[in-house]
Amino acid sequence: MDHSELTALDRRYVMQTYGRFDVDIDHGTGATLYDLAGREYIDFTSGIGVCSIGYANPKWADAVAAQAAKLGHVSNLFYTQPCAKLAEQLCTRAGMAAAFFANSGAESNEGVIKLARKYSFDKYGKGRGTIITLKNSFHGRTITTLTATGQDVFHNYFFPFDEGFRYARAGSMDSVQEVAGHDVCAVMLELVQGEGGVLPMEPDFVHDLAVLCAERDWLLLVDEVQTGIGRTGTLFAFQQYGILPDAVSFAKGIAGGLPMGGFLASDRTRAVLGPGTHATTFGGNPICAAAAQVVLDTLDEDALAAVRAKGEYLRARIEALGSPYLGATRGLGLMIGVEVKGGATNRELAGRLIQNGLLVLTAGTALRLLPPLTITQEELDRGLAILEETLL
Ligand SMILES: *Cc1c(COP(=O)(O)O)cnc(C)c1O
């Protein structure tokens, strides 16, 4: 099959919900991908923050194959080793108490929302189910997580949306106080807003928010679907902010390319969702859990230190380019936003870079870079060379 046959087949039979670039991908290794015609691309996307230990990582591929040959699925009616071991690893490294496994970011956030509402219901009864989220946030595509998402563009077509969310301005405690009330049970936020444009929260704001949550007995819910699992240079971004959330969701990077998500609860909230209150058929699937184990083993303290160093290197090189199209950079670790200027849109610039062999993402009005965390120096420099020849 060649490129035009593939795209024709896709357009004929796959629901056209995605604005795809006119590129197909066939296989990859490390941070390098190849299309059907054998053309090479340097990848600064990780499949949107997912393939953080690179493509076809040999340890990952071996673990997936070995687990598939042993036990692919058995349901949550029974104990399985990969799930329990993974929960132990995640809790220990995050300083949290217990894990629930799900399959996607949106589903993980739904679980965290349920946990917050039940915590409050158990303690205070009905009428305290409202969750404060931030403007410009992104929490997922289910009806409830779309409602939680603080961007009007997402509140369209699918009426009626849910009740129970109010939106505060990121960085403004006054704005949080304005939407506070007796019906609130939690605050949910991303520490670096990803889809919103790679916008890190101010540490003071996060600290003040944590204090207010403790005062009001609101749960502090951190959506680390994009920032989690090493992306920002620590296993979770909250570990750089000096806070301990009551619940933290994760997904994208956890299983290195297999669909998995979940959330961690603190000591205080670990028992809120008791037997029968929450479930999902595929949650903690042994193949996904075995894959995730390799991801966590790979992202040890040395690898996380390298993520921070590579992030600084990439940002310094991009700022030193002096491109007429690229402005300031921002972000944490290898979650980087690059401001766009000079009259071109981020989508146009992304299109030109992809055409020239460098895969990048957009977010808000910025270019967004999420390279595999294991990207080599040589791959980084090849990506930067494409950036230079395309945008100088
Ligand atoms: C991607 C993302 C989600 C949604 O994850 P899905 O797996 O697409 O459901 C939720 N929150 C954040 C912060 C994300 O980046």
Side-chain angles (χ1 to χ4, degrees):
M1 189 178 279
D2 68 13
H3 180 71
S4 58
E5 287 163 344
L6 169 58
T7 54
L9 191 68
D10 185 287
R11 285 178 190 138
R12 172 72 181 79
Y13 288 109
V14 177
M15 215 176 279
Q16 296 294 295
T17 58
Y18 300 103
R20 298 198 207 281
F21 289 100
D22 192 23
V23 171
D24 64 72
I25 299 294
D26 185 62
H27 62 283
T29 172
T32 308
L33 289 164
Y34 300 87
D35 66 15
L36 282 169
R39 186 158 176 247
E40 189 181 292
Y41 300 83
I42 297 295
D43 177 55
F44 280 7
T45 75
S46 305
I48 320 189
V50 169
C51 300
S52 47
I53 61 167
Y55 298 93
N57 180 296
K59 283 189 189 144
W60 178 90
D62 286 348
V64 168
Q67 187 58 47
K70 194 176 170 195
L71 180 74
H73 176 85
V74 71
S75 91
N76 281 307
L77 299 176
F78 306 101
Y79 295 96
T80 55
Q81 264 192 106
C83 170
K85 285 186 178 168
L86 178 64
E88 179 203 20
Q89 280 266 324
L90 277 168
C91 289
T92 307
R93 288 181 64 181
M96 299 292 281
F100 178 92
F101 292 110
N103 309 284
S104 71
E107 190 198 2
S108 304
N109 287 335
E110 292 259 354
V112 159
I113 290 164
K114 286 174 73 175
L115 178 140
R117 289 187 175 157
K118 185 159 183 300
Y119 172 85
S120 185
F121 180 90
D122 290 346
K123 217 165 154 179
Y124 303 98
K126 277 190 182 166
R128 196 175 178 277
T130 298
I131 295 171
I132 298 174
T133 63
L134 298 182
K135 294 188 178 161
N136 202 43
S137 59
F138 181 80
H139 297 296
R141 296 279 190 165
T142 61
I143 294 287
T144 298
T145 56
L146 272 179
T147 313
T149 292
Q151 301 188 53
D152 291 338
V153 288
F154 287 102
H155 302 160
N156 206 350
Y157 317 124
F158 310 115
F159 304 101
F161 287 95
D162 297 342
E163 297 175 356
F165 292 93
R166 286 209 287 274
Y167 314 101
R169 269 198 321 284
S172 166
M173 285 307 291
D174 288 346
S175 176
V176 174
Q177 292 285 5
E178 271 165 34
V179 297
H182 293 299
D183 59 341
V184 171
C185 66
V187 175
M188 179 161 78
L189 79 162
E190 305 156 84
L191 291 171
V192 183
Q193 292 186 329
E195 303 301 317
V198 193
L199 301 163
M201 292 295 138
E202 290 292 335
D204 283 350
F205 172 67
V206 174
H207 174 262
D208 292 351
L209 204 53
V211 169
L212 185 66
C213 284
E215 275 170 24
R216 300 276 188 108
D217 199 16
W218 298 345
L219 294 194
L220 180 61
L221 312 174
V222 180
D223 176 351
E224 296 233 25
V225 168
Q226 193 160 153
T227 52
I229 320 300
R231 175 54 54 189
T232 65
T234 46
L235 190 63
F236 287 97
F238 77 75
Q239 294 169 306
Q240 291 175 60
Y241 276 86
I243 55 164
L244 193 65
D246 296 298
V248 54
S249 58
F250 56 85
K252 290 189 167 84
I254 178 69
L258 288 181
M260 184 178 226
F263 55 95
L264 304 177
S266 66
D267 249 333
R268 179 155 87 110
T269 60
R270 62 166 297 152
V272 169
L273 296 174
T277 57
H278 194 46
T280 182
T281 298
F282 288 111
N285 170 276
I287 300 176
C288 298
Q293 188 67 57
V294 177
V295 172
L296 289 187
D297 290 346
T298 305
L299 300 178
D300 60 12
E301 288 309 316
D302 289 346
L304 293 175
V307 169
R308 300 192 290 271
K310 286 181 227 181
E312 277 163 31
Y313 174 76
L314 202 48
R315 286 178 63 181
R317 285 282 313 270
I318 290 169
E319 299 213 344
L321 273 185
S323 163
Y325 299 105
L326 302 179
T329 67
R330 56 183 179 243
L332 281 180
L334 280 171
M335 180 169 182
I336 298 171
V338 187
E339 224 150 74
V340 156
K341 60 181 191 184
T345 67
N346 56 355
R347 176 87 191 179
E348 282 161 8
L349 296 186
R352 285 168 58 190
L353 289 165
I354 290 170
Q355 229 168 28
N356 286 348
L358 176 66
L359 304 190
V360 298
L361 297 161
T362 60
T365 58
L367 283 178
R368 174 173 45 152
L369 310 179
L370 304 173
L373 305 180
T374 53
I375 191 168
T376 62
Q377 184 67 38
E378 198 227 331
E379 287 167 320
L380 273 178
D381 288 336
R382 278 164 63 205
L384 283 163
I386 297 170
L387 207 65
E388 189 164 3
E389 81 194 28
T390 309
L391 299 183
L392 219 56

